[in-house]
Amino acid sequence: GACEAVVAVMQLHAGHAGVVEHACGAVRNLALRNAPNKLKLRDAGACEAVATALQMREGRVSLSMWGCWAVSNLAANDEASQTRLRVGGACEAVVRVLRGLTWNVGLVEAAFSTMGNLAERNPENTARLGQADACTALVEALRVHEESPTRDLGKAACKAVENMVMSSNPNRDQLLAAAGSRDEMVRLINGLIAPANMKLSAIKALG
């Protein structure tokens, strides 16, 4: 029961930032491309625990980053976990974390990945992220790191753009308004270090 044990530790020591940080890292690793582990983690209450951690510890870079990665891996290709994370407040929490720690490239990459996985094929999460102003936060973060992008950040940004706007006109409008124009958003995407097909998919999602 490693999955159950990690969640139990998070719940028992919810007020201890160091313990929660390491537990989020463990959840991230256990959930990475492992459907049986994700089921065990979800049943044990991991979605609620990591969503709570992300909300309670805003401003702590390492805990916020590992919390984002834990949410991202739990949400990836898992509608049930996406729902429980949304109910737990993860959509709003990741946007607040991103806005508070935009200067940290590792945190930005983790937050972009989290938004992309929460929104993937999930209209409810897409709408909740839009209501939390995720698209504006994404554009702001892209501009902060425009001069020093990384490949991982670029890939996560492309996926977040595509998944948050491809089926949501309100999110698309929000994103383009934050950028100032469609041409400016395309310029920001083309400036990323990412595979050409990912850039193209993100740009196509803009309409």
Side-chain angles (χ1 to χ4, degrees), residues 21 57-67 97 100-101 103-104 106-107:
E21 177 184 334
R57 301 298 176 181
E58 295 167 16
R60 292 182 62 99
V61 176
S62 55
L63 193 155
S64 294
M65 183 166 66
W66 288 116
V97 164
L101 298 167
W103 53 270
N104 186 285
L107 186 282

Side-chain angles (χ1 to χ4, degrees), residues 1-14 23-24 26-27 30 37-38 40-50 74:
C3 296
E4 295 82 0
V6 167
V7 177
V9 167
M10 289 188 74
Q11 294 167 337
L12 184 63
H13 299 283
C24 283
V27 170
L30 287 166
N37 277 358
K38 285 207 281 190
K40 291 178 183 178
L41 287 163
R42 186 173 71 238
D43 288 348
C47 296
E48 293 78 6
V50 296
L74 287 168

Side-chain angles (χ1 to χ4, degrees), residues 3 6-7 10-11 14 19-29 31 41-42 44-58 63-75 81 84-86 88-91 93-94 97 114 118:
C3 296
V6 167
V7 177
M10 289 188 74
Q11 294 167 337
V19 173
V20 173
E21 177 184 334
H22 288 293
C24 283
V27 170
R28 179 259 188 194
N29 292 335
L41 287 163
R42 186 173 71 238
C47 296
E48 293 78 6
V50 296
T52 297
L54 208 54
Q55 294 173 75
M56 292 176 61
R57 301 298 176 181
E58 295 167 16
L63 193 155
S64 294
M65 183 166 66
W66 288 116
C68 280
W69 281 124
V71 172
S72 180
N73 287 355
L74 287 168
S81 290
R84 291 178 68 162
L85 288 162
R86 179 182 72 248
C91 296
V94 68
V97 164
T114 302
L118 283 169

